[in-house]
Amino acid sequence: MLHERSGLTLGELCDGLDMRRQSVSQHLALLDDAGLVTSIRDGRRKLHYLNAVPIHEIQQRWIWKFEEPTLAVLASVKRHAEESFMTTQQTGVVPDYVYTTYIRATPDQVWEALTDPEITARYWGHAQTSDWRVGSRVDHVRTDGSGVVDVSGRVIETDRPRRLVFGFGDPIAAADPDAEISVVAFDIEQGSDIVKLTVTHTNLQSPDDLRDISQGWPAVLANLKTLLETGDVLPQEPWTLG
């Protein structure tokens, strides 16, 4: 309420703060003792001004050295985000998407969860169907009984239980060997009692695709992780949260 250039009377402060005169006087006395408020007589009035210099000195001498590393990190994140955005806008090249999660399971359990149509139907809302041989078709089939295929591709690489790569795009485009569709790679790394699962989505066609999969993959993998660790999926489909 106080300003370093605009002084206020005690009455104006009481009205602005909706406080009793005695309480405001006590607060002003404390601020005055700390050198944070300067009081000047102007005829019959006594004006109170904010003295921002001590606060600024505290920030410079003590707070800044703790803020600087954090602010430097935030500045770096901002710079990289802006550079990525400008690259996309200027060249049309959409950056790759990478997401990593850690699951209390074995590599074989994770592999089965990625390739078994019944298991994928439980946590993904679609059944992943394929014989998982290189060159074979992969179809992402709705589980509502309609048999509609929303996404298709071809198996590019399979190395059970370490790595699985396949195309991920429009079913019509997937039937065209010359069509450009995105590619999903799953890398499974064994820990002592856990698995590190990394999903890399490349060859995205537009910023809208990047936005959609940035919301989709965390939801799908959270449901997968919950299923493998608890035996059941999340009580609500996570992608419905938007």
Side-chain angles (χ1 to χ4, degrees):
M1 171 133 199
L2 281 172
H3 193 278
E4 57 186 327
R5 293 187 179 88
S6 301
L8 295 175
T9 65
L10 181 59
E12 290 170 333
L13 286 170
C14 292
D15 292 340
L17 295 171
D18 193 23
M19 294 175 60
R20 294 168 55 187
R21 192 179 186 89
Q22 183 179 3
S23 298
V24 174
S25 296
Q26 291 173 346
H27 281 83
L28 282 174
L30 291 172
L31 294 172
D32 187 65
D33 290 341
L36 298 176
V37 170
T38 301
S39 301
I40 298 176
R41 283 286 180 184
D42 180 28
R44 300 178 60 184
R45 300 187 306 167
K46 187 176 183 180
L47 299 177
H48 306 279
Y49 295 82
L50 174 66
N51 180 14
V53 173
I55 297 175
H56 182 62
E57 289 178 345
I58 291 173
Q59 194 273 341
Q60 279 192 318
R61 295 179 182 178
W62 302 104
I63 299 176
W64 174 252
K65 65 180 180 180
F66 299 107
E67 288 182 338
E68 188 172 14
T70 302
L71 293 175
V73 171
L74 292 176
S76 177
V77 171
K78 178 177 182 291
R79 184 177 66 255
H80 285 300
E82 291 175 343
E83 288 174 352
S84 174
F85 176 77
M86 291 304 295
T87 298
T88 301
Q89 293 297 104
Q90 293 171 1
T91 68
V93 176
V94 183
D96 297 341
Y97 176 83
V98 180
Y99 187 87
T100 298
T101 188
Y102 297 87
I103 306 172
R104 187 166 186 173
T106 66
D108 277 315
Q109 287 174 324
V110 174
W111 182 274
E112 286 292 332
L114 293 172
T115 57
D116 186 285
E118 292 185 4
I119 300 177
T120 53
R122 290 189 64 189
Y123 70 83
W124 207 333
H126 285 75
Q128 290 269 77
T129 62
S130 178
D131 62 15
W132 301 110
R133 298 173 183 171
V134 173
S136 293
R137 188 178 174 100
V138 181
D139 287 322
H140 201 57
V141 186
R142 293 183 190 178
T143 57
D144 58 7
S146 65
V148 173
V149 177
D150 287 315
V151 178
S152 295
R154 297 283 176 182
V155 179
I156 298 171
E157 182 180 348
T158 176
D159 180 17
R160 180 173 184 161
R162 290 178 288 273
R163 181 171 169 82
L164 179 66
V165 185
F166 54 89
F168 197 84
D170 182 88
I172 297 176
D176 181 357
D178 298 322
E180 290 284 333
I181 66 172
S182 66
V183 174
V184 175
F186 294 93
D187 287 291
I188 304 168
E189 298 179 46
Q190 172 74 68
S192 56
D193 295 305
I194 62 173
V195 162
K196 177 183 178 182
L197 174 62
T198 301
V199 178
T200 305
H201 206 142
T202 60
N203 201 33
L204 296 164
Q205 302 300 303
S206 71
D208 287 341
D209 289 343
L210 178 60
R211 181 200 62 219
D212 291 342
I213 63 116
S214 296
Q215 296 173 350
W217 280 123
V220 169
L221 295 181
N223 223 16
L224 165 62
K225 174 181 170 68
T226 303
L227 175 61
L228 289 179
E229 292 183 342
T230 69
D232 201 359
V233 296
L234 292 167
Q236 178 182 350
E237 293 177 339
W239 46 84
T240 62
L241 295 177

